[in-house]
Amino acid sequence: MAASTKSTSKAKHGTAAAAKRGVAKPSQTAPSKEPKTDSLAAPKEPVVKKKDLMARVAARANLRPSEVRTVYDAVLQELGDALLRGEKLRLPPLGLVKVNRHKELPDADIIVCKIRRNKATGSGKDELAPTDE
């Protein structure tokens, strides 16, 4: 029996010495280098980039991407300028876009908007689809 207490005693002293040297016990895990995520954090939203949106518009309107690019840039510039001025945008089928808050920073403008959209009516009509005439 004395041998078993002796080995247990050595094991205790061994881990204490390892702790003094900064060596973690096998049962302890090293701190994770990954950023901690809050369990209440929202899942990552999908992001539509300019190239993707232009491709979608070109496909829907049966136009070449080069034709869409000029109009796309002009429309987004005008939308941004109108929102910066605090104007309401009534843009069917998108809806009514209204500025809630606006904050000017030295390097950017923060514009918080509310969009009110009507529920889909189920007509299924695509406004950009070619008509059969």
Side-chain angles (χ1 to χ4, degrees), residues 77-93:
Q77 184 65 46
E78 286 300 318
L79 290 175
D81 291 346
L83 291 173
L84 193 58
R85 290 187 300 264
E87 297 175 356
K88 288 182 186 179
L89 304 173
R90 192 175 314 270
L91 305 169

Side-chain angles (χ1 to χ4, degrees), residues 59-113:
R60 182 173 278 214
N62 265 345
L63 296 171
R64 293 189 316 260
S66 61
E67 296 171 324
V68 172
R69 183 176 297 115
T70 308
V71 175
Y72 175 89
D73 289 336
V75 167
L76 288 184
Q77 184 65 46
E78 286 300 318
L79 290 175
D81 291 346
L83 291 173
L84 193 58
R85 290 187 300 264
E87 297 175 356
K88 288 182 186 179
L89 304 173
R90 192 175 314 270
L91 305 169
L94 177 63
L96 177 68
V97 181
K98 180 179 170 183
V99 176
N100 268 3
R101 292 187 303 271
H102 175 226
K103 182 177 182 180
E104 290 184 29
L105 298 178
D107 59 341
D109 288 306
I110 299 175
I111 304 170
V112 179
C113 297

Side-chain angles (χ1 to χ4, degrees), residues 18-84:
K20 285 181 183 177
R21 291 188 306 244
V23 178
K25 289 192 248 180
S27 63
Q28 293 176 341
T29 58
S32 175
K33 292 184 180 180
E34 295 177 21
K36 292 184 179 181
T37 57
D38 188 11
S39 62
L40 299 176
K44 189 174 180 179
E45 296 100 23
V47 175
V48 179
K49 296 186 179 179
K50 179 179 180 176
K51 184 178 179 180
D52 299 331
L53 187 58
M54 284 192 346
R56 290 179 188 181
V57 171
R60 182 173 278 214
N62 265 345
L63 296 171
R64 293 189 316 260
S66 61
E67 296 171 324
V68 172
R69 183 176 297 115
T70 308
V71 175
Y72 175 89
D73 289 336
V75 167
L76 288 184
Q77 184 65 46
E78 286 300 318
L79 290 175
D81 291 346
L83 291 173
L84 193 58

Side-chain angles (χ1 to χ4, degrees), residues 5-18:
T5 39
K6 200 172 189 181
S7 63
T8 309
S9 161
K10 282 185 179 181
K12 287 180 183 176
H13 292 299
T15 56

